[in-house]
Amino acid sequence: MKIAFANPGDVNAGVVVVTAGEGRKLSPSAKALDKKTGGAITRAIKASRFKGNVQQSLTIMVPGGTKLDRILVVGLGKAKDIDPKVAQNAGGQIYVSLSNVGSSSVTVCVDAIDGSNMKPSDAAAEIAFGAKLRSYRFDKYRTKDKPDSKPSLKTLKLQCANSAKARIAYARSEKIADGVFMTRDLVSEPPNLLYPDTLAKRAKELTKLGVKVEILSEAHMKRLGMGALLGVGQGSVRESRMVVMQWNGAAKKDQPIAFVGKGVTFDTGGISIKPSAGMEDMKWDMGGAGVVIGLMKALAGRKAKANVVGVVGLVENMPGGNAQRPGDIVTSMSGQTIEVLNTDAEGRLVLADALHYTNDRFKPKFMVNLATLTGAIIIALGNEHAGLFSNNDRLSERLTQCGLDVDEKIWRFPLNDAYDKTLDCDAADMKNISGGRGAGSITAAQFLQRFVGKTPWAHLDIAGVTWAGKASAVVPKGGTAFGVRLLDQLVAGYYEKK
Ligand code: BES
Ligand code: MN
Ligand code: ZN
């Protein structure tokens, strides 16, 4: 879908979108169109339950007095509550209402709204961003789609005062959408085609945007002593990889910030094998890595003025003749030894080495890791929030606020010594599961904390939010890319040179 901006002008063909506020209050463009159509909009509103609230809309077909195909009236709710989120959600709603109706072009009239402090050019850019985010489709393996089942909408045009400003604002958002789309692509790929080596090659494509990308082979990781990560991958015929991405958008001496992702391209559970029902979901057990790669794409695409490191640990967790056994003891790069009591608690083993490596090599200001780490986080939070675990209040507060800003919400859980002790072990420095039934997401986080030293660190457990069973305002069903927009916002808000 192409997105275009223009200054206000008459629309004489295709589909027109106008807005209304709470109490059925028509925008100036809606009023003008109402007049032109002999009052069709007011009559249609009267004949319906449309109140002008958010997420409400109303369609008027082939309105008299015009050559238009249809008019869509979209509710924006209370004028004073209109913010980027409301505008993005309206954009998503416009896309859903009009992408499949048969018209190839839609024009949205974005007016100044009495009592709103959002400028029309900003609102137009956010509406476009919301529509763009909602328009994502993963259909590359559908070879028999009929033309009628594909979206008909080709161009979304936004008319507003100062459209040049809207175009500039949207150009930045579009780079973020590029990152989001890359993450969704990676998370959606099937696990026979996306495995550590092919995922690493996808990350390598970021070189084109000026990202420095290194791929560490198994031999290299062995030399570095990454026994925890390599143990997880040893049962697979696919070789493990680690990818190190660097975006240097600030001065050389500027200490970097770092993002680290769990990239289990398929998690069978290994010898502690999972039940077969729903196991196909474990193709998206590389969701954390997918977010880190998409985030690097967004940051490089919009040329963020910050030094950012992205590290992803890529393995396939398979049973097999050479697979890790329950009871194996591995030595991590940090020197700490781990008794692997459950081969299905593998994400923490991968991250143990990825976090230590990142901390040791880059001495970052902070590290944020993302991982589809525990089923327990879905029991606790469902699909509404990701779990946040951190050794640093300031970083936690910033992440939480950014989550609210972009509607990727996170909820903090406690960490403490009593939870940590449940990982103590007779045979090695620690075991990889607590063995108890409670607090599974917290004990997993405590495990990670043993590998981050004193560096400010946050862990986002995204197991419940990486894949959407149903669509929401700006996220279609499927891979969500939850975390890309959140962390882009963190970088933009707190770590970029102005
Ligand atoms: N990848 C899973 C966690 C997961 C579950 C992600 C469901 C998405 C949806 C992880 O590797 C895992 O298997 N965790 C175990 C840990 C347990 C063995 C301590 C779990 O949550 O059951
Ligand atoms: Mn597992
Ligand atoms: Zn896993």
Side-chain angles (χ1 to χ4, degrees), residues 262 267 269 274 285 317 343-347:
K262 166 180 171 180
D267 180 14
K274 288 181 180 296
D285 208 20
N317 188 22
T343 64
D344 197 13
E346 85 298 341

Side-chain angles (χ1 to χ4, degrees), residues 163-182:
S163 62
K165 273 209 170 128
R167 202 172 291 123
I168 292 167
Y170 178 71
R172 178 181 188 282
S173 298
E174 196 175 29
K175 299 301 180 188
I176 300 169
D178 288 345
V180 166
F181 282 22
M182 179 169 193

Side-chain angles (χ1 to χ4, degrees), residues 262 267 274 282 284-285 342 344 346 372-375 433 463:
K262 166 180 171 180
D267 180 14
K274 288 181 180 296
M282 289 301 108
W284 47 262
D285 208 20
N342 187 321
D344 197 13
E346 85 298 341
T372 49
L373 202 65
T374 65
I433 52 168

Side-chain angles (χ1 to χ4, degrees), residues 157-304:
K157 191 164 145 190
L158 296 109
Q159 289 193 349
C160 63
N162 264 322
S163 62
K165 273 209 170 128
R167 202 172 291 123
I168 292 167
Y170 178 71
R172 178 181 188 282
S173 298
E174 196 175 29
K175 299 301 180 188
I176 300 169
D178 288 345
V180 166
F181 282 22
M182 179 169 193
T183 301
R184 289 179 184 170
D185 281 344
L186 295 176
V187 163
S188 306
E189 282 289 348
N192 58 327
L193 301 177
L194 195 85
Y195 47 88
D197 186 53
T198 53
L199 181 47
K201 287 190 170 116
R202 297 285 286 268
K204 187 85 188 177
E205 288 167 16
L206 300 187
T207 312
K208 280 184 267 180
L209 294 173
V211 180
K212 193 175 148 202
V213 183
E214 298 160 69
I215 300 177
L216 312 193
S217 66
E218 274 194 356
H220 191 158
M221 289 189 279
K222 204 172 254 163
R223 282 200 298 280
L224 290 170
M226 293 187 180
L229 182 149
L230 290 168
V232 177
Q234 79 187 28
S236 171
V237 298
R238 314 288 198 190
E239 269 204 33
S240 302
R241 295 283 184 267
M242 182 168 289
V243 182
V244 182
M245 296 160 277
Q246 291 172 259
W247 167 253
N248 293 316
K252 243 206 169 90
K253 59 171 188 359
D254 245 47
Q255 196 185 2
I257 59 181
F259 300 101
V260 178
K262 166 180 171 180
V264 177
T265 60
F266 196 76
D267 180 14
T268 63
I271 296 299
S272 313
I273 199 160
K274 288 181 180 296
S276 58
M279 203 200 276
E280 65 278 9
D281 282 351
M282 289 301 108
K283 77 168 183 181
W284 47 262
D285 208 20
M286 38 55 70
V291 169
V292 171
I293 296 167
L295 173 67
M296 296 305 288
K297 175 159 186 163
L299 294 172
R302 68 173 186 74
K303 300 197 169 19

